[in-house]
């Protein structure tokens, strides 16, 4: 039985894309975001009372990837050049005009950017001094003077500034599962670690609370999943304040600390929740903000609006704004092009596969409109990372293949995040070991389904998923009709040697040292 596709390949890939970065204007009446409406990523401004988006940058080379809207009349952003992943700091007038480069450091990579609490300075991190270290900088917007605050090995990320301006929080990532918490004290001019002596854990800093000297942060140091804590600087103590049964993936708030919010990963679907500033109670958000993955979220300066990038499985990610005063949810962007019908797109089913020594969570996409006895080919798709997670988001390649009558099995084998840190750690120093047994278990599950056409099992992946694909094709060759590797490493020794300098502190425990562990990696 043949199947006639409903759409062409081009229709699925005519959709527009947004980068997970945006910021409200200081008065909360407009929002700046990054989209590829022109075919290249550029910066846009959208007034929230309506009208068409205004394109601020027009470049085929400079791609913004992190945006901050300051009260001095400029929008500041990090951007790389021609995809070189070496981001520098730029600014442009909020109404459009000439782009001005502020750091201009060839070969450097700036990775985090935030506005100070009073709006008079930019806080950012990068590696312009030493390639394998990050440093912390504060730039006065009135004078342009840059001040070095400190730094060290690993990847440093800006947190928030306290109400008094005395303290500033940072995180230092030595690996995905070893992120340390630091505090800058402007009075003493010192940077100290708050997580010293604590176990390695994922940590993320949140906003300070009101006018006091306490702040929120996320950590999985006391369990399998990240939960929220309140840290008191004066007493150097912490207490749990957010403890759901799943990962808290993002904690954010307004610069003044009056409004905070967090996002949880509930079995692959994300949910945003506000924290009432007076009672501390958790406040639900409208249903229109659910049903997908939240790629980014932000509050307006006064906390009256919540913007988020919602990425569902049946349409491209869109920027939504919830006005808490009116309870209205407005879709700011329109990325669904090509005359696609969201109702005709496939939403995956969450399944569990029996693995060699643990259950394997997976997403199953099955083509619609098939006869009861019709058998179809199936593609086994592995995500990258390996410490990432296959999520139910818009994947145009999946939807195109489904329209052709090809099923998709997208598992979260060992090493994936979202299922507890022990599961995530199983990939450490074992690439091509236990994970290969998981891959085989997924292939065997697919073969056992009566609706899968015999001999029509393919495997695909990018980056680590490409490594998984190559492992399957060479070490489990009997299962596959075809294998497609996209930018996957084929040699773990050369991979370890060519990873960026910022990976060096985590390399030995994560993958293996290319010199000391050469035989093991081979």
């Amino acid at each position: 039985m043949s199947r006639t596709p409903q759409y062409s390949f081009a229709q699925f890939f005519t959709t527009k894309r947004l980068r997970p970065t945006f910021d409200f204007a200081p008065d909360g009446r407009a929002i700046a975001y990054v989209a590829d409406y022109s075919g290249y990523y550029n910066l846009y401004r959208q007034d929230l009372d309506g009208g068409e988006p205004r394109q601020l940058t027009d470049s085929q080379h400079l791609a913004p990837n992190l945006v901050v809207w300051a009260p001095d009349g400029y929008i500041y952003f990090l951007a790389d050049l021609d995809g070189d992943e070496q981001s520098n700091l730029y600014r442009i007038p909020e109404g459009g005009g000439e782009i001005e480069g502020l750091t201009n450091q060839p070969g450097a990579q700036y990775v985090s950017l935030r506005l100070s609490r009073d709006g008079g300075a930019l806080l950012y991190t990068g590696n312009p001094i030493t390639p394998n270290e990050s440093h912390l900088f504060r730039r006065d917007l009135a004078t342009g003077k840059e001040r070095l605050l400190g730094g060290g090995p690993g990847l440093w990320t800006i947190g928030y500034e306290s109400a008094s301006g005395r303290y500033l929080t940072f995180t230092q990532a030595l690996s995905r599962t070893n992120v340390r918490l630091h505090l800058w004290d402007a009075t003493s001019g010192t940077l100290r670690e708050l997580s010293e002596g604590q176990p390695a854990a994922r940590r993320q800093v949140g906003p300070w609370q009101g006018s006091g000297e306490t702040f929120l942060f996320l950590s999985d140091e006391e369990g399998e999943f990240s939960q929220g804590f309140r840290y008191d600087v004066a007493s150097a103590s912490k207490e749990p304040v957010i403890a759901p049964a799943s990962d808290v993936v993002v904690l954010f708030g307004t610069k003044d600390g009056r409004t905070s919010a967090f996002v949880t990963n509930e079995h692959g679907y994300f949910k945003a929740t506000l924290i009432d500033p007076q009672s501390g109670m958790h406040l639900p958000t409208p249903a229109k903000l659910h049903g997908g993955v939240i790629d980014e979220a932000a509050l307006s300066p006064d906390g009256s609006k919540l913007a988020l990038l919602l990425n569902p499985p049946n349409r491209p990610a869109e920027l939504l704004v919830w006005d808490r005063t009116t309870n209205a949810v407005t879709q700011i962007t329109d990325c669904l092009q090509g005359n696609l019908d969201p109702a005709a797109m496939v939403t995956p089913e969450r399944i569990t596969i029996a693995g060699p020594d643990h259950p394997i969570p997976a997403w199953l996409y099955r083509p619609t409109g098939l006869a009861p006895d019709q058998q179809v080919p199936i593609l086994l798709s592995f995500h990258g990372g390996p410490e990432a997670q296959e999520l139910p988001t818009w994947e145009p390649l999946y939807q195109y293949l489904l329209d052709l009558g090809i099923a998709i099995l997208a598992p979260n084998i060992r090493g994936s995040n979202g299922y507890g840190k022990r599961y995530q750690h199983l990939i450490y120093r074992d690439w091509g070991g236990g994970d290969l047994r998981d891959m085989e278990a997924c292939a065997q599950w697919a073969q056992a389904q009566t609706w899968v056409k015999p001999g029509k099992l393919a495997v695909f992946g990018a980056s680590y998923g490409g490594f998984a694909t190559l492992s399957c094709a060479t070490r489990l060759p009997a299962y596959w009709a075809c294998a497609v590797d996209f930018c996957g490493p084929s040699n773990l020794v050369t991979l370890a040697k060519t990873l960026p300098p910022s990976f060096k502190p985590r390399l030995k425990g994560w993958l293996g040292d290319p010199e000391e562990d050469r035989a093991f990696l081979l």
Side-chain angles (χ1 to χ4, degrees), residues 464-484:
Y464 167 80
F467 170 79
T469 298
L470 293 171
S471 297
C472 286
T474 58
R475 301 176 66 192
L476 303 171
Y479 290 99
W480 319 106
C482 72
V484 181

Side-chain angles (χ1 to χ4, degrees), residues 190-519:
T190 58
L191 184 69
R192 61 188 172 98
E193 183 183 346
L194 302 182
S195 54
E196 188 173 6
Q198 299 295 313
R202 291 179 296 161
R203 295 181 177 91
Q204 179 193 125
V205 287
W208 293 79
Q209 297 294 281
S211 59
E213 300 299 342
T214 63
F215 66 90
L216 302 178
F217 74 98
L218 295 181
S219 175
D220 63 359
E221 60 198 57
E222 295 187 0
E224 283 293 296
F225 298 101
S226 288
Q227 64 183 97
F229 294 89
R230 180 185 294 113
Y231 187 92
D232 184 273
V233 175
S235 63
S237 62
K238 70 177 190 294
E239 60 175 338
V241 291
I242 308 169
S246 57
D247 258 338
V248 183
V249 293
V250 179
L251 179 62
F252 61 101
T254 53
K255 290 191 297 295
D256 61 13
R258 294 183 180 179
T259 307
S260 302
F262 62 92
V263 175
T264 48
N265 176 352
E266 300 180 0
H267 306 290
Y269 284 96
F270 287 24
K271 185 178 181 180
T273 302
L274 294 180
I275 303 174
D276 183 81
Q278 277 76 42
S279 66
M281 293 181 60
H282 297 171
L283 306 177
T285 50
K288 289 182 179 179
L289 301 181
H290 308 159
V293 171
I294 297 173
D295 289 334
E296 183 61 273
L299 287 157
S300 61
D302 65 358
S304 66
K305 298 181 181 69
L306 170 66
L308 55 82
L309 190 60
L310 185 65
N311 193 347
N314 64 336
R315 65 173 299 144
E318 303 283 7
L319 181 58
L320 307 178
V321 174
W322 172 38
D323 189 321
R324 298 174 58 200
T325 305
T326 64
N327 205 37
V329 176
T330 304
Q331 182 177 313
I332 300 300
T333 57
D334 184 14
C335 295
L336 184 64
Q337 309 291 317
N339 295 316
L340 295 176
D341 179 8
M345 304 297 107
V346 176
T347 296
E349 173 190 359
R350 187 170 54 236
I351 67 170
T352 301
I353 295 171
D357 47 22
H358 56 79
I360 302 171
W363 297 97
L364 177 63
Y365 297 76
R366 291 185 64 178
T368 57
L370 300 175
D373 60 345
Q374 186 172 351
Q375 293 182 317
V376 298
I378 187 168
L379 173 69
L380 183 53
S381 176
F382 292 109
H383 64 68
E387 295 173 274
Q389 184 181 10
E390 182 75 33
L391 294 167
T393 58
W394 172 249
E395 295 288 352
L397 178 61
Y398 287 4
Q399 298 296 339
Y400 167 70
L401 294 174
L402 288 158
D403 194 39
L404 293 178
I406 300 171
I408 311 288
L409 176 63
N412 281 301
I413 62 174
R414 68 184 69 197
S416 302
N417 61 36
Y419 304 97
K421 58 188 180 185
R422 281 180 291 188
Y423 189 72
Q424 186 174 340
H425 287 178
L426 290 176
I427 192 65
Y428 280 29
R429 292 179 62 87
D430 194 35
W431 292 34
D435 54 346
L436 188 70
R437 298 197 301 273
D438 288 359
M439 299 171 205
E440 185 170 26
C442 293
Q444 291 172 343
W445 180 92
Q447 282 187 331
Q449 307 309 302
T450 58
W451 51 268
V452 172
K453 183 177 282 190
K456 294 295 183 180
L457 174 57
V459 60
F460 162 81
S463 192
Y464 167 80
F467 170 79
T469 298
L470 293 171
S471 297
C472 286
T474 58
R475 301 176 66 192
L476 303 171
Y479 290 99
W480 319 106
C482 72
V484 181
D485 151 46
F486 181 67
C487 67
S490 58
N491 183 313
L492 296 183
V493 174
T494 56
L495 170 65
K497 286 183 176 180
T498 55
L499 285 169
S502 58
F503 279 69
K504 299 300 182 184
R506 59 182 286 200
L507 189 60
K508 186 173 179 63
W510 181 61
L511 176 62
D513 185 272
E515 303 301 335
E516 296 178 26
D517 301 312
R518 177 180 173 83

Side-chain angles (χ1 to χ4, degrees), residues 33 45-47 50-55:
Y33 62 94
R45 167 184 174 158
Q46 174 69 57
D47 293 333
E52 294 297 317
R54 186 189 312 174
Q55 184 173 340

Side-chain angles (χ1 to χ4, degrees), residues 111-197:
V111 295
S112 71
L113 176 67
R114 194 181 293 277
L115 194 64
S116 66
R117 188 169 180 134
D118 63 6
L122 281 181
L123 307 163
Y124 48 93
T125 63
N127 65 345
I129 299 174
T130 308
N132 62 351
E133 293 185 344
S134 290
H135 287 85
L136 322 171
F137 301 92
R138 181 185 181 96
R139 175 184 290 264
D140 185 275
L141 295 184
T143 65
K145 185 178 180 180
E146 183 182 77
R147 180 186 178 191
L148 174 65
L149 303 183
L155 191 65
W156 291 68
T157 302
I158 298 290
Y160 290 80
E161 198 171 35
S162 66
S164 64
R166 175 178 177 179
Y167 298 118
L168 183 63
T169 53
F170 299 90
T171 56
Q172 175 194 20
L174 297 177
S175 73
R176 284 179 181 263
T177 54
N178 185 10
V179 182
R180 299 175 180 177
L181 188 61
H182 293 264
L183 185 75
W184 164 259
D185 187 336
T187 301
S188 62
T190 58
L191 184 69
R192 61 188 172 98
E193 183 183 346
L194 302 182
S195 54
E196 188 173 6

